Amino acid sequence: MWMPVETIAAPAGSWTTTALARTYLSADDDDGQDAIIQGMIDAAGAYVEAYTGLRLLTQTVRLRCRSFLDLERLPIGPVAQVTAIDCLTTDGLNPTLSGTLWEQFGFGLSVGVRPAAGKTWPVLRQVDDAVRLTVEVGYGADPSTIPPPIRQACFLLLGDFFANREDTSPDGVAKATLPNGVAALLANYRMF
């Protein structure tokens, strides 16, 4: 059982710039909307990350789970590297496990951690956050490293946010929750 992901070191930037977003939205440079557009950029990126379970740009996160069995598949991606594992053991110690005791395996969006050959996991306390991992995730520091379908889904959301700034139309009819194409573009990138 995985607990919510904690961001330790946020990405240095965003999945796009306000200048590129303005171009995509056909918004004037001098209309004073940059703060609003940046909020929509942030919201589109956050939505895609929540919908897929991915992190778009390089960042460091903390994962917590109850059991070493949970490590067979990490709930976030793309994983660049697991940098540390510590745990709560029955003897009351909180050891950081040496990198010689475990190994990362898999690739792409299917990465896990297992004991190294000939090694075993320590005995854990029975608490929800007994195992704690520090993980570097994301497609890279540069937005151009994000796969094109994911960036296009972000732009579709951005355009929808910009064009439809309310949840309902003037006649009170609820609008669709996602623009056409977002779910299809993200289908191969969902972690769950």
Side-chain angles (χ1 to χ4, degrees):
M1 177 179 88
W2 290 98
M3 299 185 71
V5 176
E6 174 190 0
T7 302
I8 296 172
S14 185
W15 64 270
T16 194
T17 63
T18 52
L20 186 56
R22 266 194 260 104
T23 300
Y24 178 78
L25 299 169
S26 299
D28 294 331
D29 290 353
D30 60 354
D31 60 6
Q33 296 190 75
D34 279 359
I36 294 168
I37 291 171
Q38 186 59 54
M40 292 175 184
I41 290 168
D42 296 343
Y47 183 93
V48 167
E49 287 184 346
Y51 184 81
T52 60
L54 303 175
R55 295 298 173 105
L56 302 181
L57 296 173
T58 299
Q59 55 196 274
T60 304
V61 299
R62 179 75 127 170
L63 303 176
R64 293 178 178 89
C65 61
R66 183 175 188 82
S67 165
F68 286 114
L69 294 175
D70 294 324
L71 302 184
E72 289 181 14
R73 183 163 183 198
L74 301 185
I76 196 168
V79 173
Q81 65 176 341
V82 176
T83 58
I85 300 175
D86 61 87
C87 58
L88 302 174
T89 57
T90 56
D91 59 11
L93 300 176
N94 301 337
T96 297
L97 304 179
S98 165
T100 62
L101 298 177
W102 54 271
E103 62 187 11
Q104 179 178 319
F105 67 92
F107 62 94
L109 300 181
S110 185
V111 172
V113 178
R114 62 184 170 216
K119 305 295 182 184
T120 59
W121 296 120
V123 179
L124 297 173
R125 288 178 49 202
Q126 295 300 304
V127 294
D128 288 343
D129 63 343
V131 182
R132 303 157 183 197
L133 291 81
T134 304
V135 184
E136 186 180 302
V137 294
Y139 285 102
D142 185 336
S144 68
T145 59
I146 300 169
I150 296 175
R151 281 182 50 98
Q152 184 60 37
C154 288
F155 275 114
L156 285 175
L157 285 167
L158 176 65
D160 187 64
F161 294 162
F162 190 75
N164 304 300
R165 297 183 193 197
E166 304 296 331
D167 278 346
T168 58
S169 63
D171 60 0
V173 176
K175 296 178 183 173
T177 56
L178 282 177
N180 290 335
V182 171
L185 286 164
L186 298 175
N188 291 330
Y189 296 97
R190 292 194 79 183
M191 294 290 298
F192 43 88

